[in-house]
Amino acid sequence: MIPVSKQFMDENFLLDTPAARHLYHNHAAKMPIIDYHCHLSPKMIAEDKPFRSITELWLGDDHYKWRAMRANGVDERYITGDASDEEKFLKWAQTVPYTFRNPLYHWTHLELRTAFGIDTLLNEDTWQYIYKRSNERLKDPDMTPRGLMRKYGVEAVCTTDDPVDTLEYHKAIADSGFEIKVLPTWRPDKVLAFDNLADYKAYLAALESASGVEIKDYATLLEAVQKRHDFFHESGCRLADHGLGEVPYRAYTPEEAAALFGRLLDGETLSAEEKEQLRTALLLELCRMNARRGWAQQMHFGPLRNVNSRAWNKLGPDTGFDTIGDWKGAEKIAGLLNALDSENLLAKTILYNLNPADNVWVAAMTGNFQDGSTCPGKIQMGSGWWFNDQITGMEDQMNALSTQGLLSRFVGMLTDSRSFLSYPRHEYFRRVLCNLVGNDLDRGLIPMAELPRAERMIEDICYYNAKNYFNF
């Protein structure tokens, strides 16, 4: 046996120094979780039904695992197909040993330990034991959606909701007396998604029905959207999320925007430049609504979606066939933020870049629009997102933010997940954060005399900054 200096995933996992261990165990680990961006189902939280099996809980809708299984040669039948839960779990167990150095290896074993109390490594030899034991554990009353949220110390979650959603399950959750806040997030991407005119008109019909406004022109479109925005606010929403792909920003006049939307309703094909003008106009109107209500807003940009047309035709969206785009967005983000700031209608804003090559300019961009009269860290660089929520990606994001801004004001981690077992990602992040700051203390880059300030910094990033920023 080769001697090793550390055992796998012991209590000091990812913590290299005494200072890092102190910061994590005595400060980060005890902080509640505010999961301000996720894709959890409010219906599942409202109904709080037991899970059928660990396969349903673990592999359902998890495109991270699906991509790894495909890369490992697993047939689609065992991923999104009609194979049994047991067969799908076996295929995942066979894949896990091939995920060394992928965050999935760490996440898998963190989730087994923290949720099920299982320390056994998952592989093709242990899968039956783990499958049986975890499924037995899922019969316990504390292993439902609500039970798992309690187990991980969750204080609030924000789901992701379209303007036409009824939010009936959020109301049912609140009415039930559930002590954890489950709040909607306004996600109006489909208001800008007019490339496929037939789909867009079907969406406008749904928006008409939800708002009670007949959409005849640009003005009535904005009226319908505003009514839904008002409804979300009345339902407790205080946060918007804009999934942008390539960020739109092109000069327009209100008259041009109205004319372009009218032509769109008439079935005309707009040029690429005209589409960008209309998207810019709509996005700015949405952001103005957010500012007037005092909401925070998130802007996720950079994905190149559905690049595999064969898979799209067979499986549809959000099945693991999106990737990192390579767009140059600094000028457009600057134009967008400046246009809002010039009107004094720039809301608290979090910028998430998917391409890690954009880290430094995004971190620098946040400094251009900070406003000390609003709140500390009004403009945030979002945490390492999607392809970047792993050790290297999180470190790179925090290093860029540290050099260009104030890491101390960072609102921290989120799951961006559809799984109730994803909360250990907060632990993963907190260990990485404490290791960064702890190593600086150990190397003399932060004076040990300032340890109390470093301790407070860790607690702020893990919890207090988000609590104060969002005011949930």
Side-chain angles (χ1 to χ4, degrees):
M1 180 71 71
I2 300 173
V4 295
S5 58
K6 288 193 69 175
Q7 296 299 315
F8 174 70
M9 206 169 280
D10 61 10
E11 66 175 4
N12 294 322
F13 176 56
L14 297 177
L15 305 172
D16 295 334
T17 65
R21 294 163 194 158
H22 166 74
L23 291 174
Y24 177 72
H25 293 299
N26 296 318
H27 296 277
K30 68 181 183 181
M31 292 292 103
I33 288 174
I34 295 179
D35 196 27
Y36 56 88
H37 176 65
C38 74
H39 297 272
L40 293 177
S41 163
K43 181 176 186 289
M44 292 179 69
I45 300 171
E47 295 177 346
D48 201 34
K49 293 179 180 178
F51 295 97
R52 181 181 68 246
S53 71
I54 189 175
T55 305
E56 178 194 16
L57 176 57
W58 225 9
L59 294 174
D61 296 321
D62 192 336
H63 53 78
Y64 290 87
K65 292 186 179 75
W66 294 352
R67 285 169 68 96
M69 292 168 76
R70 292 177 187 126
N72 202 44
V74 175
D75 186 84
E76 195 66 34
R77 176 173 177 263
Y78 301 98
I79 301 172
T80 60
D82 61 358
S84 68
D85 283 3
E86 189 172 25
E87 290 172 315
K88 289 180 177 180
F89 188 84
L90 169 59
K91 293 299 182 182
W92 171 239
Q94 291 172 334
T95 299
V96 167
Y98 291 90
T99 63
F100 288 168
R101 305 202 81 245
N102 186 296
L104 285 166
Y105 193 79
H106 291 156
W107 293 347
T108 292
H109 292 99
L110 269 177
E111 291 166 17
L112 284 175
R113 291 184 181 207
T114 57
F116 299 98
I118 296 174
D119 294 331
T120 305
L121 299 179
L122 179 59
N123 54 49
E124 61 184 2
D125 297 322
T126 62
W127 75 274
Q128 287 179 307
Y129 163 76
I130 292 174
Y131 186 73
K132 180 180 179 182
R133 182 172 166 185
S134 59
N135 284 342
E136 288 174 351
R137 181 75 176 87
L138 284 175
K139 296 175 184 177
D140 294 343
D142 65 339
M143 293 297 285
T144 63
R146 296 189 187 193
L148 287 168
M149 294 167 75
R150 292 185 180 106
K151 176 187 290 289
Y152 285 112
V154 178
E155 182 174 294
V157 299
C158 295
T159 59
T160 304
D161 310 283
D162 189 274
V164 303
D165 288 348
T166 63
L167 305 184
E168 60 189 286
Y169 294 110
H170 294 84
K171 184 178 186 305
I173 294 166
D175 290 346
S176 74
F178 185 40
E179 70 276 13
I180 296 171
K181 294 180 181 178
V182 181
L183 303 173
T185 297
W186 171 261
R187 180 72 177 251
D189 295 0
K190 291 182 180 179
V191 176
L192 281 66
F194 44 72
D195 283 332
N196 184 312
L197 190 54
D199 288 348
Y200 190 62
K201 287 191 172 183
Y203 180 72
L204 293 182
L207 183 57
E208 285 182 332
S209 178
S211 65
V213 176
E214 182 183 359
I215 300 174
K216 300 178 292 185
D217 52 24
Y218 189 64
T220 49
L221 169 67
L222 297 183
E223 181 185 354
V225 173
Q226 182 67 67
K227 281 187 176 293
R228 298 306 296 169
H229 199 277
D230 294 342
F231 170 73
F232 268 61
H233 187 82
E234 292 161 5
S235 301
C237 180
R238 297 295 182 269
L239 181 59
D241 182 34
H242 302 278
L244 299 174
E246 186 172 9
V247 178
Y249 189 73
R250 183 175 287 270
Y252 72 96
T253 66
E255 293 77 16
E256 286 173 326
L260 289 170
F261 186 75
R263 288 171 54 196
L264 194 70
L265 288 184
D266 289 339
E268 291 189 35
T269 300
L270 305 183
S271 69
E273 292 78 13
E274 289 171 332
K275 287 180 180 180
E276 187 173 13
Q277 282 184 301
L278 183 54
R279 285 199 176 94
T280 302
L282 288 170
L283 180 57
L284 286 172
E285 289 292 348
L286 291 165
C287 291
R288 291 174 184 126
M289 292 178 192
N290 299 334
R292 292 186 183 111
R293 278 296 195 180
W295 291 5
Q297 62 191 11
Q298 303 170 95
M299 295 186 181
H300 290 82
F301 58 90
L304 187 60
R305 295 188 181 274
N306 306 313
V307 298
N308 185 326
S309 58
R310 180 172 58 85
W312 160 262
N313 291 332
K314 181 179 180 181
L315 301 173
D318 301 321
T319 51
F321 298 96
D322 303 331
T323 193
I324 297 173
D326 188 24
W327 293 296
K328 303 302 179 185
E331 294 83 358
K332 293 187 177 184
I333 285 285
L336 194 72
L337 298 181
N338 185 60
L340 294 166
D341 187 75
S342 298
E343 303 173 15
N344 199 29
L345 287 174
L346 178 56
K348 291 182 287 188
T349 302
I350 308 175
L351 302 176
Y352 302 84
N353 54 290
L354 191 58
N355 192 331
D358 296 336
N359 277 343
V360 174
W361 76 251
V362 171
M365 186 67 69
T366 64
N368 299 320
F369 297 97
Q370 301 293 6
D371 182 355
S373 66
T374 302
C375 69
K378 173 183 176 179
I379 311 301
Q380 291 272 331
M381 181 186 187
S383 61
W385 169 45
W386 195 346
F387 292 98
N388 301 312
D389 58 356
Q390 25 72 13
I391 296 172
T392 302
M394 291 188 289
E395 288 179 342
D396 288 349
Q397 182 269 343
M398 286 190 280
N399 283 330
L401 177 55
S402 298
T403 58
Q404 303 298 324
L406 298 179
L407 180 63
S408 298
R409 293 300 186 182
F410 179 33
V411 293
M413 188 58 174
L414 47 94
T415 62
D416 190 30
S417 176
R418 293 170 174 81
S419 172
F420 290 91
L421 280 185
S422 288
Y423 292 114
R425 293 184 192 179
H426 282 265
E427 176 181 336
Y428 201 60
F429 165 81
R430 291 173 179 186
R431 287 176 179 271
V432 172
L433 167 67
C434 290
N435 201 51
L436 278 179
V437 177
N439 285 348
D440 281 355
L441 284 161
D442 189 67
R443 296 169 62 199
L445 298 177
I446 296 174
M448 195 59 73
E450 290 282 17
L451 178 60
R453 188 177 295 272
E455 293 167 344
R456 177 66 192 205
M457 171 186 178
I458 294 299
E459 294 185 4
D460 284 346
I461 295 170
C462 293
Y463 173 68
Y464 290 109
N465 286 348
K467 186 175 182 66
N468 294 331
Y469 189 82
F470 298 110
N471 296 316
F472 293 147

